[in-house]
Every structure is written in C-alpha cells, then in structure tokens.
Amino acid sequence: MDAEDRLRPEFVDRVLDAVADGDDETARELVEPLHPADVADLIELAARDEREGLVRALAGIVDADVVAEMNEHVREALLDALEPQQVADLAGQLDTDDAVAIIEDLEEDEQRAVLRAMEPDDRAAIEEALTYPEESAGRLMQRDLIAVPEHWNVGQVIDYLRSGKDLAEDFWEVFVVDPGHHPVGTCKLSSILRAPRKMPVSDIMFEEQTLIPVDMDQEDVALRFQKYALVSAAVTDGTGRLVGMITVDDIVHIIQEEASEDALLLSGVGEGDINEPVTESYRARVRWLVANLLTALVTAFVIANFEGLIERFAILVALGPMVAGVGGNAGTQTLAVTVRAIATNQLTGSNRWRAVGREVRVALLNGLTIACLIGAGVAIVFGLIFHDPLALPLGAVIAAAMLTNIIVAGCAGVMVPLTLERAGADPAVASSVFVTMVTDSVGYFAVLGLAAAFLHIA
Amino acid sequence: MDAEDRLRPEFVDRVLDAVADGDDETARELVEPLHPADVADLIELAARDEREGLVRALAGIVDADVVAEMNEHVREALLDALEPQQVADLAGQLDTDDAVAIIEDLEEDEQRAVLRAMEPDDRAAIEEALTYPEESAGRLMQRDLIAVPEHWNVGQVIDYLRSGKDLAEDFWEVFVVDPGHHPVGTCKLSSILRAPRKMPVSDIMFEEQTLIPVDMDQEDVALRFQKYALVSAAVTDGTGRLVGMITVDDIVHIIQEEASEDALLLSGVGEGDINEPVTESYRARVRWLVANLLTALVTAFVIANFEGLIERFAILVALGPMVAGVGGNAGTQTLAVTVRAIATNQLTGSNRWRAVGREVRVALLNGLTIACLIGAGVAIVFGLIFHDPLALPLGAVIAAAMLTNIIVAGCAGVMVPLTLERAGADPAVASSVFVTMVTDSVGYFAVLGLAAAFLHIA
C-alpha cells in the first residue's frame, strides 16, 4: 500500500504471478489481510482475462463485501460467469441497499432468476426497492433501522437494543415515531449514552429532523446530506410514514460521483469510467464527436464565404485559429464555473443576472488583456520584421476580433447553461458543444469580417 | 424552499425588501426558522452591497454556525468589517476545526489580533492546529473526542459518558487507547449500546482501525473515508499517539470540492467560484488564456508554412478547423476520463499501459467513424454538387487527417496526464493546454501536409 492507499504495482504483480503459477496458497496469504475495498481494487487492477483466475484462486476471500465494493463494469463481467443461485447467495449476505445495487444492473431475465433463488424475506425487500425509480432514495435506503415510540425513556431504549437479536447492526441515530409510524424526532446515540436511564427520549431528541422523501433523486439526497452535515436520515413514503434510513457512508460515493460527473459530461464522455467496455465508451463518445463535427460546419461555411479575401491574406488564416481557440478556452472557463455553481445550488433565480454581469466583467478584463497582447504582437512582428504597411491595421483587426470573441464567449458560457437549466435540461451535458460552436464561428467571422471591412480602407 | 433545498427567489426578495424598508422585524421573523446553512445561503444570494445591512438586521440570528457555513469569499468580506474581539467571540463558539477554517484565511496581523483576543484554551488549540500544513488532517481534526482505557468495561464507559460535563458533544465512535495514549481499537456507539454492562470494551472494539496521520493531505483523508466508508477516524501524531478525531461531516464537503476541483482545473479557472472577487477570477484565468495564446502560435506557424498551398486551395482552410476542433474534443474526452481515474486512484502503475492501450482502441474506433463521415461528406459535396475533379482525393486527405488527429488526441489525452502525475505535478492543472496544442497543430499539419503531398499527384 503506498502513501495514497493504492496497492503498489509490485504487490499486484506478486499476487498475479502466484495465480499464474498455480500457487493459490501464496496468493491467498498475500490477499488475506486486505480490506474488502482493497481486494476489489486488486481485481480491478488485474487485466480482464486474469480476473476470473484470480477470483477462483481467492474463493472465500472474494465475498459479498468485496463484490459490493467493485466497479460496476468489472462486477457485471464477474457476475455473468456465476449461476443465479450463487448471485442470490452473495446478495443475501448484503444490506438491502448493496444487494439492490448489484441486482439492478443485471439483465431482466437474469434479475428474475436471481430473485427467485433468494430467501423470501430478502426477495420481498429487494423487489420493493426495485419499484422505486433508479437513482432515487428508495434504492439507496436500508430497511433495517431502530425506531422507538415517543413515550419510552432512555432505559427502555437501551434494554430494547440489548435484547434484540434481529436488530440492525450499523446505526448512528435512533428514530422516534408516533403510533402511526411517522417520525417525530431523532436521537443521536451519543445523547442516549450520556442521558440518565429515566430521561424520556422526547426530551433528548431533535425535533428538527431532515426527512428524505422515498422518491427523491440521489443527487438531491447527497446535497442535503452535505448541506446539513447529516450522518443518517429517515426516509418517508408519500404518507409520511418511516420506511427506511440512509446513512452517510452510502452517500459519500454519490457525492463524489455527482461532483465529478459534471467534468465528464462537459467533456462529452457520458459516465466515462476506465473500466467501461471499449464499445460502450465508443458509443458514448462518438455521438458528441459527430455533434462537434456538425457544429464545425458552421465555422467552415463562415470561412468559405471569405475565399477571395483568404487568397490575398493567407496570414488571416494563420491567426483565425488563435482567435477561435482562445475564445473557446475562455468560454469553457466560464462554463465550468457556471455548471458547478448550478450543480451545488449556489446559482439560482436570485442571483442569475448578477452572475451574468460578473462573467461579462471578467470577460472584458480578460479580453482587453489578450487583445492588447495579440494586437501589439502582430503589429510589431509585421511592422518591424516584415515592414508590412498593413501591420498596424492588421494588429487592430486581430485585437478587436479577439476582444469581441472573448466577450461573446463569456456571455455564452454563462447564458447557455442557465438557459438549459431553466428549460429543464442538464446544463453539463450539452453546453460545451453550443459554446464551442459560438466561439469558433464568431472567432473566424470576427477576424475575416473585420479584415474585409477595414483592411481595404487602410 | 424549492424541491432541491434552494431558497426561492421570492423569499429572498421579501427578506431583502424588508431590510431595505428598515423593517428588521419582518426580516427576522422570516429568517428565524431557517437552518444556519440556509441563513448562510441567504447572505450569499444577496448582492455584495446588501450583505452588510442584511447581517446587521439579522444580528443574533447570524451566529457562529452561520459564519462557519458561509462561502469563504463572502465570509472574508464580512469578517473584515468586524473588530478582532468580535471575530474572536465567534471563533470561540465553534469546534476547533471550524474556528481554524475561519481564522486561517485572515491576514497575518489580523490573525494575531484575533488570537490575542481569544480565551487561552481555545487560543492554544487553534495555534497548535495552525502549526500543521494547510489542507492537512491536523487542520481538519477536532481535539474533543472520547478515549477510554482498554481494561474498562461497557458499564464504566457509559458511567464516564454520563458523568462528564466537559466531554465532546458530537461523536459516533469511542476510541480505546493503551496507557501511552496510542489507539488500540475503535468501538461503535451502537456496539456499546447493545452490549451488556459487564462486557470488556476490548471484546467489542474493532482492532482493524484506519488511523489518519496528522500531516496527511485532506484529499487523501477524503479518499480514505470514502474507500473504507468511515464515519469517524482517529488522528495520530508522528509517535502514534492519539491527538484528534475527524468525523465524516467534516469530510463530505472536501470530497465534493476535490471531486469538482478537477473540472475547474481542466478548464483553467483555478478554484473558480462564483463568489470569488472579479479581480481574483481575472488573475486566475488570464494566465491560462495567455498560455493558450502562446500554444496557438504553434498552429499559426504550421499554417503559415503552407501559404502558397492555401492561396490555391482556400477550401483546406475551411476544413482545417474541423479536423483540429474534433481532435481537440476527442483529446478532452480522454483527458477527463484519465484525470478522474488518477484522482480516484483507479489508475496506478499496475494498469497504466493497459489504460493507454484502451484509449488508443477507443480512438481508433472513433477516428474511423468520424473519418468516414467527413471523407464521404467532402467527396459527395465537391464531387456531386461542384463537380470538382479533386473531390475524391480531397475527401481521402481530410479523412486521413481526421483519423490521424483523433488517434494522436487519444494518445496525448492519456499520456500527458500520466506523465505529469509521474513527474509529481497535478495532472488536472496543465494537461488540457498541452493536449489542445497537440491536437490543434497536428490537425492543421495533417490537413495541409497531406494535401501538399497528395493533391499535386492526383
């Protein structure tokens, strides 16, 4: 294990070499002390065709917990090789939420076969979870939780916890419910431990609880956990009854996923994951490249209109990509900030126009800086070195084009995602294609159009 | 509050209007029921010049918890208006970690004035935390924690918790230590609650604990919490003694920040935040635009070398940006996936070359698709519509250039961040400038170079 909790390549090689030599004993001795999350990492780090042999050599060590920690693409490939009964046994050892995560990714007929092979209790719990929409609180929640009536005192709660064998193992808060099983408060375990036995739970519970509706999207659940620093939260159905609990350890990977999803979506790679099969990556990415190709046509048409000009001033062609490229970069910057601000709920109807104004001012500053640099550079190079009489007007044209394009890029970078969001679309998904199209075509149009208008006069 | 936990614009306006009318009473009535995190949001959503009045109207409601939840740029502006004594009073009401977060951002002389105004105990704790490097575990940890000797039983732990007044309020696990104060195990509160009073704590503690060294970088702390699904963890100093505790609620915002940081870095906006002052945003962004400008020079030189060719085939100029642009897009896709895989520790020395091979294969597929599309399109448009005798060779040249550039983009997109990471640099920071330079210049070079080589023969 290196300083950043990654398995060292030498360790991975030693395990894989042992398996390749048929020396399962050594492989098992090496892997035995690892945490399930590290065993899952090890399997992911092995090449695709080494994985099956590795899992066979580590039979018993690769248990349900390891499977739950695995990357979904790697897991899918491994589960495909198992009988439904074996998958059902694995799922039966897990909490509802982890079992659902494994089973929801299976093909429909396989899913049915696995469910049939499960214990009736587990099966009912998973089937119910699958009735909730994908990526909703209902799929994330555990059904095992501790709920106590509000008239109990601390002593009764402790005795109940000590007596029960079938009770949940992992919990950080106890939920207090009314006779209709509606949550009325939450007790931290630390408060229960610190209060005298006679204290009524209603005296130590927090009444201001954060309840999660069962159909809430997981991204919103993650934001709510983050905003209110929750450790666990009660999940309620449409009638307000307590149906489950979500704990923070189920949510940290969603916070991470949702936060980095935007970067991937902005780049047009879908859910981009290095374990995704090549053909899936191809399908996800090629769509955006085709879209990019079509939008680049706009630029090509713009340039084609200036054919005569280009033949006389080939230098404009050399400078066009600079104006378009820097503009595109400026647009992407604004886009990245805006999409993140929308995703983290920092940018709402309240400050929309202020944000636009802010980006325009940044763009003006950036634009003036870059325009001066390129304008002066062009004027100096062509004037002092090539003694071109058009050096000054050429510099002015390029500077004006650059300023225009950076301001347009700033406006597009903030307006496009805001508009998409208001229209109900995910601003991270399509914004960059629009913005690049705008900056490319405006960039070339500004260079060539301004040159056509002013260089004839000069 | 809308469905996504954001304050509705109408609500924000009503509060701000009340403050503007001098009707503090109404404003206070509206804001009183809000969670501190929502009060902080309200202040962030107000315009810069409305904030001071709003905070004055809400005196007493804007307490230390609200200040701790605030965006750092907004907080800094508010704290600047306060006396050191007032800042010291605010910090004194917070846990060490939150107080450190407020004080570490102050100017050095202001920091000293605030520390002088604090209670000696709080001051010592904060001064010690400030001796640890920025963004390290030492700055994140709380010093209030529950540690018990290993020979105690469950009853003794409960009695200790019930007796102590000065004990920590918020904790989820109890740490078991040896006489030298080295952690030997961790007890979940749920295990303590469920065990009989006579059970020794050493029987219910987990010995396999995840310890955090006090100088560990916060990004690694966040990854470790995420990987091992931790709720809290003991922090140890160089000699292995227990010095503090980090809880998951202190870490979720770091997971979120670190995950979205990459998207911002990739776009060249630094820490990009919509509350950052315009001049800071300008400074962070203009550097990358200048770098982008310099790298675009490479492309300009490439094009300038083909001046003669361009004057005869202006159409090549129209197609050049398409090849460069789509290549750039493909490079960014690979980059986004690679940077994320490195950041989440999915990509290590073990699978480096496999990842390169994988990206090259995806690039080959993408390249063939896009090359066929553009090649056929060019051949059809110029052959059937303009009856240009060079339609077929022109299509072939553009197709070959596109395929070349997409494959080069795939290689650069994975090799550049891997190389930067091996060299000890952050792959998210500088990768995209390199990759864009490669795809732009290779794109134009391929179009113009292939045209020069083959269109004369045809």
Side-chain angles (χ1 to χ4, degrees):
Chain A
M1 202 83 65
D2 69 10
E4 297 181 23
D5 290 330
R6 294 176 296 199
L7 298 169
R8 286 188 189 284
E10 307 86 70
F11 175 85
V12 176
D13 288 344
R14 266 171 63 202
V15 175
L16 291 176
D17 288 347
V19 173
D21 296 346
D23 185 2
D24 292 357
E25 207 49 54
T26 307
R28 297 174 63 87
E29 261 169 42
L30 285 166
V31 177
E32 194 92 63
L34 295 184
H35 186 279
D38 290 310
V39 180
D41 279 359
L42 173 69
I43 295 169
E44 287 171 30
L45 288 171
R48 191 175 288 264
D49 53 3
E50 295 169 322
R51 285 185 194 141
E52 218 178 310
L54 179 61
V55 170
R56 200 173 309 116
L58 300 178
I61 298 179
V62 180
D63 58 8
D65 288 329
V66 173
V67 172
E69 295 278 355
M70 236 176 253
N71 175 286
E72 53 177 311
H73 297 289
V74 177
R75 183 168 64 206
E76 232 170 274
L78 283 181
L79 293 187
D80 278 350
L82 296 182
E83 294 299 310
Q85 182 60 54
Q86 291 173 293
V87 179
D89 289 346
L90 279 175
Q93 292 163 39
L94 293 169
D95 285 341
T96 332
D97 56 323
D98 289 328
V100 167
I102 291 182
I103 291 174
E104 68 183 355
D105 288 338
L106 298 175
E107 310 270 323
E108 214 173 307
D109 51 337
E110 221 175 349
Q111 204 176 78
R112 243 174 289 136
V114 170
L115 283 171
R116 258 199 308 274
M118 292 190 77
E119 303 281 321
D121 276 7
D122 291 341
R123 177 180 170 170
I126 289 170
E127 280 179 336
E128 205 204 303
L130 290 175
T131 62
Y132 298 115
E134 270 185 61
E135 312 212 321
S136 71
R139 297 229 178 164
L140 284 176
M141 73 186 184
Q142 288 158 240
R143 304 161 61 84
D144 289 341
L145 53 81
I146 309 290
V148 299
E150 50 188 326
H151 59 78
W152 276 17
N153 64 30
V154 166
Q156 283 172 296
V157 174
I158 295 182
D159 293 342
Y160 169 66
L161 291 174
R162 286 201 183 133
S163 72
K165 282 169 220 134
D166 285 343
L167 294 179
E169 292 269 317
D170 274 351
F171 57 95
W172 312 99
E173 287 171 320
V174 166
F175 300 105
V176 183
V177 290
D178 70 10
H181 216 67
H182 302 98
V184 294
T186 307
C187 281
K188 286 195 270 190
L189 295 192
S190 57
S191 313
I192 296 176
L193 273 167
R194 303 191 57 185
R197 283 185 66 94
K198 291 221 173 104
M199 175 87 76
V201 287
S202 54
D203 281 10
I204 55 166
M205 73 186 185
F206 280 95
E207 288 178 41
E208 285 172 22
Q209 13 167 27
T210 311
L211 302 175
I212 308 277
V214 73
D215 56 357
M216 190 182 221
D217 185 81
Q218 65 176 18
E219 180 164 11
D220 297 327
V221 177
L223 280 173
R224 193 171 274 190
F225 264 78
Q226 201 184 333
K227 179 169 184 181
Y228 299 119
L230 304 178
V231 167
S232 64
V235 180
T236 52
D237 66 11
T239 65
R241 282 167 51 89
L242 179 67
V243 292
M245 155 179 91
I246 296 181
T247 52
V248 68
D249 53 301
D250 298 324
I251 227 75
V252 280
H253 73 278
I254 292 170
I255 293 176
Q256 205 275 338
E257 265 172 37
E258 297 284 346
S260 53
E261 192 184 68
D262 291 337
L264 297 169
L265 290 175
L266 272 174
S267 315
V269 290
E271 290 182 2
D273 179 306
I274 57 164
N275 289 304
E276 198 178 37
V278 168
T279 49
E280 276 182 40
S281 294
Y282 165 64
R283 271 199 295 273
R285 296 194 203 175
V286 79
R287 285 185 301 143
W288 289 107
L289 294 180
V290 171
N292 194 230
L293 189 67
L294 295 177
T295 56
L297 276 177
V298 179
T299 312
F301 279 119
V302 168
I303 298 175
N305 273 320
F306 292 92
E307 201 168 341
L309 184 75
I310 289 166
E311 282 165 10
R312 271 181 297 143
F313 295 105
I315 181 63
L316 292 176
V317 173
L319 295 172
M322 292 182 78
V323 175
V326 175
N329 211 310
T332 309
Q333 293 179 332
T334 307
L335 204 51
V337 177
T338 308
V339 167
R340 179 171 173 232
I342 294 174
T344 53
N345 286 344
Q346 285 188 80
L347 188 48
T348 74
S350 298
N351 56 352
R352 179 175 300 152
W353 290 107
R354 206 159 345 114
V356 173
R358 186 182 167 282
E359 290 304 323
V360 170
R361 273 178 294 155
V362 174
L364 198 65
L365 289 172
N366 278 332
L368 286 171
T369 310
I370 304 288
C372 288
L373 283 176
I374 195 171
V378 166
I380 288 168
V381 168
F382 287 88
L384 297 187
I385 303 175
F386 299 116
H387 301 291
D388 189 322
L390 285 179
L392 271 183
L394 188 63
V397 159
I398 294 296
M402 186 64 99
L403 178 61
T404 309
N405 203 23
I406 289 180
I407 291 175
V408 168
C411 294
V414 61
M415 306 276 287
V416 168
L418 281 174
T419 310
L420 285 173
E421 203 243 344
R422 284 199 95 170
D426 184 339
V429 176
S431 294
S432 57
V433 172
F434 278 112
V435 172
T436 311
M437 183 183 67
V438 170
T439 54
D440 264 6
S441 49
V442 170
Y444 284 97
F445 183 77
V447 170
L448 299 171
L450 289 171
F454 294 106
L455 291 189
H456 290 230
I457 306 162
Chain B
M1 202 83 67
D2 70 9
E4 296 181 25
D5 290 330
R6 294 177 296 200
L7 298 170
R8 287 187 190 284
E10 306 86 70
F11 176 84
V12 176
D13 288 344
R14 267 171 61 202
V15 176
L16 291 176
D17 288 348
V19 173
D21 295 346
D23 185 3
D24 290 359
E25 207 49 52
T26 307
R28 296 173 64 86
E29 261 169 41
L30 285 167
V31 177
E32 193 93 65
L34 295 184
H35 187 277
D38 289 309
V39 181
D41 279 359
L42 174 69
I43 295 169
E44 287 172 29
L45 288 172
R48 190 175 291 262
D49 53 3
E50 295 168 322
R51 283 183 195 144
E52 218 177 309
L54 179 62
V55 171
R56 200 173 309 116
L58 300 178
I61 298 179
V62 179
D63 57 8
D65 288 329
V66 173
V67 174
E69 295 280 354
M70 236 177 255
N71 176 286
E72 54 177 311
H73 297 290
V74 177
R75 182 167 65 206
E76 232 169 274
L78 283 181
L79 293 186
D80 277 349
L82 296 181
E83 294 299 310
Q85 183 61 53
Q86 291 174 292
V87 179
D89 289 346
L90 279 176
Q93 292 162 40
L94 293 169
D95 285 341
T96 330
D97 56 324
D98 289 326
V100 168
I102 290 182
I103 290 174
E104 68 183 355
D105 288 338
L106 298 176
E107 309 272 323
E108 213 172 310
D109 51 338
E110 222 176 348
Q111 203 176 80
R112 243 174 288 137
V114 170
L115 284 171
R116 259 199 308 273
M118 292 191 75
E119 304 279 322
D121 276 8
D122 291 341
R123 177 180 170 168
I126 290 171
E127 281 180 335
E128 203 203 304
L130 290 174
T131 62
Y132 298 115
E134 270 185 61
E135 311 213 322
S136 71
R139 296 229 178 165
L140 284 177
M141 73 186 184
Q142 289 157 238
R143 304 161 61 83
D144 289 339
L145 52 81
I146 308 290
V148 299
E150 52 188 324
H151 58 78
W152 276 17
N153 64 30
V154 167
Q156 284 172 295
V157 174
I158 295 180
D159 293 341
Y160 170 65
L161 290 175
R162 287 201 182 134
S163 72
K165 282 170 221 132
D166 285 342
L167 294 179
E169 292 270 317
D170 273 351
F171 57 94
W172 312 99
E173 287 171 320
V174 166
F175 301 105
V176 183
V177 290
D178 70 11
H181 215 67
H182 301 99
V184 294
T186 306
C187 281
K188 286 195 270 191
L189 294 192
S190 57
S191 313
I192 296 176
L193 273 167
R194 302 190 59 184
R197 283 184 67 93
K198 293 220 172 109
M199 175 87 77
V201 288
S202 54
D203 281 9
I204 56 165
M205 73 187 186
F206 281 95
E207 289 178 40
E208 286 173 22
Q209 16 168 23
T210 312
L211 302 175
I212 309 278
V214 74
D215 55 357
M216 189 181 222
D217 185 81
Q218 64 175 19
E219 180 165 12
D220 297 326
V221 177
L223 280 173
R224 194 171 273 190
F225 263 78
Q226 200 185 333
K227 180 169 184 179
Y228 299 119
L230 305 178
V231 167
S232 63
V235 180
T236 53
D237 66 11
T239 65
R241 283 167 50 92
L242 180 66
V243 291
M245 154 178 92
I246 296 179
T247 52
V248 69
D249 52 301
D250 299 322
I251 227 75
V252 280
H253 74 276
I254 291 170
I255 294 176
Q256 205 275 338
E257 266 172 36
E258 297 283 347
S260 52
E261 194 184 67
D262 291 338
L264 297 169
L265 291 175
L266 272 174
S267 313
V269 290
E271 290 183 5
D273 178 306
I274 57 164
N275 290 303
E276 199 178 37
V278 168
T279 48
E280 276 184 39
S281 294
Y282 165 64
R283 271 199 294 275
R285 297 195 204 174
V286 79
R287 287 185 300 143
W288 289 107
L289 294 180
V290 171
N292 193 231
L293 189 68
L294 295 176
T295 56
L297 276 177
V298 178
T299 312
F301 279 119
V302 167
I303 297 175
N305 273 320
F306 292 93
E307 201 169 341
L309 183 74
I310 287 166
E311 282 164 12
R312 272 182 295 140
F313 294 106
I315 182 63
L316 292 175
V317 172
L319 294 172
M322 294 182 78
V323 174
V326 176
N329 211 309
T332 309
Q333 293 179 332
T334 306
L335 203 51
V337 177
T338 308
V339 166
R340 182 174 170 230
I342 293 174
T344 54
N345 285 345
Q346 285 187 80
L347 187 49
T348 74
S350 299
N351 55 352
R352 179 175 298 151
W353 289 109
R354 203 153 353 109
V356 173
R358 188 183 164 281
E359 290 304 322
V360 170
R361 274 178 294 154
V362 174
L364 199 64
L365 289 172
N366 279 331
L368 286 172
T369 309
I370 304 288
C372 288
L373 282 176
I374 196 171
V378 166
I380 288 169
V381 168
F382 287 87
L384 297 187
I385 303 176
F386 299 115
H387 302 292
D388 189 322
L390 285 179
L392 272 182
L394 188 62
V397 158
I398 295 296
M402 186 64 99
L403 178 62
T404 309
N405 203 23
I406 290 180
I407 291 174
V408 168
C411 293
V414 62
M415 307 275 288
V416 168
L418 281 173
T419 310
L420 286 173
E421 203 244 342
R422 284 200 96 170
D426 184 338
V429 177
S431 293
S432 57
V433 172
F434 278 112
V435 171
T436 310
M437 183 184 67
V438 170
T439 55
D440 264 6
S441 49
V442 169
Y444 283 97
F445 184 78
V447 170
L448 298 170
L450 289 171
F454 294 106
L455 290 190
H456 289 229
I457 304 162

